[in-house]
């Protein structure tokens, strides 16, 4: 039976991963979720599993060495899945330091704590103990509009403070693997969407604003391209890489679902119109007239696109959820969880929204 230490499990991808793992393995695993509960962490995301006897939540900062060491001392952890991070590019442009603190220093603390707990007197590591570092395709920089893909061999060229901090964290993991033969993998994934995503990110922000008849802010010309992946497919990839991937390897996750931002917005508007019954008062709010072009993001990367050849050929993973299906599932989830959206958009979210969008 594996015992997982999951960091950032109260966030978007982490909570989807925890749900996925309990659905797949039931009582055959134990999960300890360590999360600081920043604005992005929300225990509501885990309500339906919080009372499981094989689940434990610890509120802690991954930069707090003593708190992390205590978990390794108390629990027989043999799997770490490291999601915890500051994750939003726009926030990183405003406050880079917190990204360096959590994403770089926090990763160093996680690596060092796992190394201390797992290292044997001869410098080797306990058998079948593994660390998976969840990273992003943004470390590779930006692709030309008319071609090319990110491969595992693509040189790192991060542009935003967020991607620079994630690139640094990847380098630390690589350094631990090279120096100590520390048993780890890195996954670099494209843009995720799905349930529990905080509405600072494009897709939930557009769904939420459209339902309320609020402007839909499009940065620049709206033609920046992202490669969208349904979050459950990402959760599955992480599990497959950790269980069947070659140790010390990096795997890119994503693939062949490139869309311009403006296309995404039109798909969301069309899907909302399809899914909302005529009698629903929100239907009248949903309109193309809400689309508002605003000042571009500073240093906005033009295009991301993953070539998932390695993960497909070595591990047999490929995306399963077509965008048309994934976006319907996502919208359905937001319809059924109006209270969740109300809760996360009350209070500080309004301040964030005003500061980010009022001068654009
Ligand atoms: P998120 O912002 O939704 O969640 C981050 C979680 O980490 C939150 O629960 C937050 O409370 C927690 N956290 C933040 N700082 C912490 C700290 N110092 N100590 C402990 N917990 C802390 O992020 P997400 O979108 O779920 O992304 C998760 C991971 O996946 C990140 O490492 C991100 O870089 C990576 N990633 C995200 C995407 C995407 O599209 N969202 C794509 C590829 C990779
Ligand atoms: O590629 C993986 C990355 O995807 C992850 O590492 C990040 O954690 C995650 O936040 C995401 O980064 P992006 O910057 O690509 O995602 P975001 O949802 O912020 O923006 C997607 C695109 O939409 C981007 O080109 C900017 C644009 N955008 C975004 C917002 C919030 C808008 O046009 N308007 C908006 O209001």
């Amino acid at each position: 039976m594996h015992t997982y230490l999951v960091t950032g499990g109260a966030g978007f991808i982490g909570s989807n991963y925890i749900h996925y793992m309990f659905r797949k393995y039931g009582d055959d695993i134990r999960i300890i979720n360590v999360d600081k509960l920043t604005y992005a962490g929300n225990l509501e995301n885990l309500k339906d599993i919080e009372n499981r006897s094989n689940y434990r939540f610890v509120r802690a900062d991954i930069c707090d060495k003593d708190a992390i060491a205590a978990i390794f001392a108390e629990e027989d952890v043999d799997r770490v899945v490291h999601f915890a991070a500051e994750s939003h590019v726009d926030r990183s442009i405003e406050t880079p330091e917190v990204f360096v603190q959590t994403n770089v220093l926090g990763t160093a603390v996680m690596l060092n704590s796992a190394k201390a707990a797992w290292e044997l007197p001869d410098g080797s590591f306990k058998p079948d103990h593994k660390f998976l570092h969840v990273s992003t395709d943004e470390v590779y920089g930006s692709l030309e509009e008319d071609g090319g893909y990110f491969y595992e061999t693509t040189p790192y060229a991060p542009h935003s403070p967020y991607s620079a901090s994630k690139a640094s964290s990847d380098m630390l993991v690589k350094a631990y693997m090279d120096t100590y033969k520390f048993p780890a993998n890195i996954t670099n994934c494209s843009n995720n969407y799905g349930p529990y995503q905080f509405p600072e990110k494009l897709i939930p922000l557009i769904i939420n604003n459209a339902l309320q008849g609020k402007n839909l802010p499009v940065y620049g010309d709206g033609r920046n391209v992202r490669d969208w992946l349904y979050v459950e497919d990402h959760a599955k990839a992480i599990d497959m890489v950790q269980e069947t991937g070659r140790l010390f390897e990096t795997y890119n996750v994503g693939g062949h679902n490139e869309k311009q931002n403006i296309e995404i917005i039109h798909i969301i508007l069309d899907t909302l119109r399809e899914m909302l019954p005529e009698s629903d008062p929100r239907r009248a709010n949903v309109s193309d007239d809400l689309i508002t072009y605003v000042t571009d993001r500073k240093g906005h990367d033009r295009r991301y696109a993953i070539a998932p050849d390695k993960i497909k050929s070595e591990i047999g993973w490929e995306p399963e959820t077509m965008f048309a299906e994934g976006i319907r599932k996502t919208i359905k989830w937001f319809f059924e969880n109006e209270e969740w959206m109300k809760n996360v958009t009350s209070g500080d979210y309004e301040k964030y929204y005003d500061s980010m969008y009022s001068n654009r």
Side-chain angles (χ1 to χ4, degrees):
M1 168 156 159
H2 296 307
T3 299
Y4 289 80
L5 196 172
V6 173
T7 70
F12 162 49
I13 306 176
S15 59
N16 277 284
Y17 169 81
I18 291 175
H19 283 118
Y20 173 81
M21 292 297 278
F22 281 134
R23 273 199 306 278
K24 178 162 181 198
Y25 296 105
D27 291 336
D28 295 340
I29 54 169
R30 175 165 172 73
I31 294 183
I32 297 109
N33 172 17
V34 182
D35 198 300
K36 183 181 175 183
L37 299 183
T38 66
Y39 77 93
N42 184 354
L43 290 180
E44 287 285 304
N45 300 0
L46 297 158
K47 263 240 137 334
D48 46 340
I49 57 102
E50 69 185 5
N51 293 322
R52 294 186 72 107
S53 58
N54 56 341
Y55 171 75
R56 174 181 169 201
F57 174 69
V58 179
R59 184 172 191 176
D61 188 330
I62 53 164
C63 301
D64 180 344
K65 283 187 221 172
D66 295 340
I68 303 300
I71 298 167
F72 277 100
E74 289 158 16
E75 303 273 355
D76 194 11
V77 172
D78 61 346
R79 296 280 185 275
V80 173
V81 182
H82 177 37
F83 293 97
E86 288 292 334
S87 69
H88 192 40
V89 174
D90 291 328
R91 289 185 193 254
S92 83
I93 294 166
E94 301 303 317
T95 54
E97 297 92 333
V98 65
F99 285 71
V100 176
Q101 176 78 13
T102 285
N103 299 1
V104 185
L105 186 65
T107 299
V109 169
M110 289 309 303
L111 287 165
N112 227 29
S113 310
K115 176 176 172 287
W118 294 350
E119 199 168 22
L120 296 169
D122 67 356
S124 67
F125 288 91
K126 291 182 183 172
D128 196 27
H129 284 55
K130 300 177 188 181
F131 188 108
L132 189 139
H133 177 61
V134 181
S135 193
T136 170
D137 60 357
E138 297 198 14
V139 298
Y140 298 121
S142 186
L143 292 162
E144 294 299 317
E145 214 146 25
D146 53 355
Y149 291 99
F150 294 139
Y151 291 91
E152 288 78 359
T153 49
T154 303
Y156 275 32
H159 295 136
S160 71
Y162 163 70
S163 53
S165 69
K166 290 296 291 188
S168 311
S169 68
D170 292 10
M171 291 301 166
L172 276 172
V173 180
K174 286 175 201 270
Y176 269 64
M177 295 194 287
D178 291 347
T179 308
Y180 310 110
K181 297 279 169 287
F182 180 74
N185 287 104
I186 300 172
T187 52
N188 293 93
C189 189
S190 62
N191 286 61
N192 284 215
Y193 69 100
Y196 305 111
Q197 188 166 29
F198 192 78
E200 63 188 352
K201 307 284 164 59
L202 181 71
I203 288 184
L205 186 145
I206 295 297
I207 295 172
N208 187 41
N209 282 16
L211 288 172
Q212 294 182 53
K214 284 165 83 176
N215 285 349
L216 309 179
V218 184
Y219 297 169
D221 65 3
R223 295 200 176 164
N224 299 67
V225 170
R226 298 291 182 264
D227 180 356
W228 294 93
L229 181 70
Y230 191 62
V231 63
E232 200 175 309
D233 286 346
H234 186 189
K236 183 173 181 182
I238 288 168
D239 180 40
M240 287 175 81
V241 166
Q242 191 157 50
E243 293 316 313
T244 60
R246 283 184 295 138
L247 217 48
F248 312 121
E249 292 291 315
T250 287
Y251 293 90
N252 284 352
V253 186
H256 307 313
N257 187 36
E258 289 177 53
K259 299 216 182 303
Q260 293 183 345
N261 296 333
I262 192 66
E263 237 180 303
I264 292 283
I265 293 172
H266 282 296
I267 293 173
I268 292 173
L269 291 171
D270 290 346
T271 314
L272 284 172
R273 279 187 282 255
E274 255 171 61
M275 289 177 73
L276 283 168
E278 295 283 351
S279 55
D280 192 310
R282 293 171 300 179
R283 201 171 193 285
N285 293 335
V286 177
S287 161
D288 291 13
D289 297 340
L290 299 173
I291 293 173
T292 310
Y293 287 87
V294 300
T295 310
D296 207 353
R297 175 184 278 175
K298 289 185 182 129
H300 197 175
D301 285 339
R302 193 62 173 168
R303 175 173 164 256
Y304 304 146
I306 290 273
D309 304 9
K310 180 174 172 182
I311 192 168
K312 186 176 174 192
S313 66
E314 286 192 15
I315 296 182
W317 178 91
E318 54 187 329
E320 284 172 23
T321 313
M322 294 293 101
F323 193 72
E325 179 197 348
I327 200 69
R328 285 183 79 86
K329 279 187 178 173
T330 304
I331 290 174
K332 183 165 179 283
W333 187 88
F334 281 110
F335 284 167
E336 288 166 357
N337 291 276
E338 268 191 301
E339 222 25 58
W340 181 96
M341 185 60 97
K342 270 197 197 123
N343 292 342
V344 302
T345 52
S346 62
D348 282 352
Y349 180 79
E350 279 173 33
K351 278 190 228 144
Y352 164 80
Y353 198 89
D354 285 348
S355 75
M356 199 56 81
Y357 292 94
S358 60
N359 294 322
R360 279 202 126 103

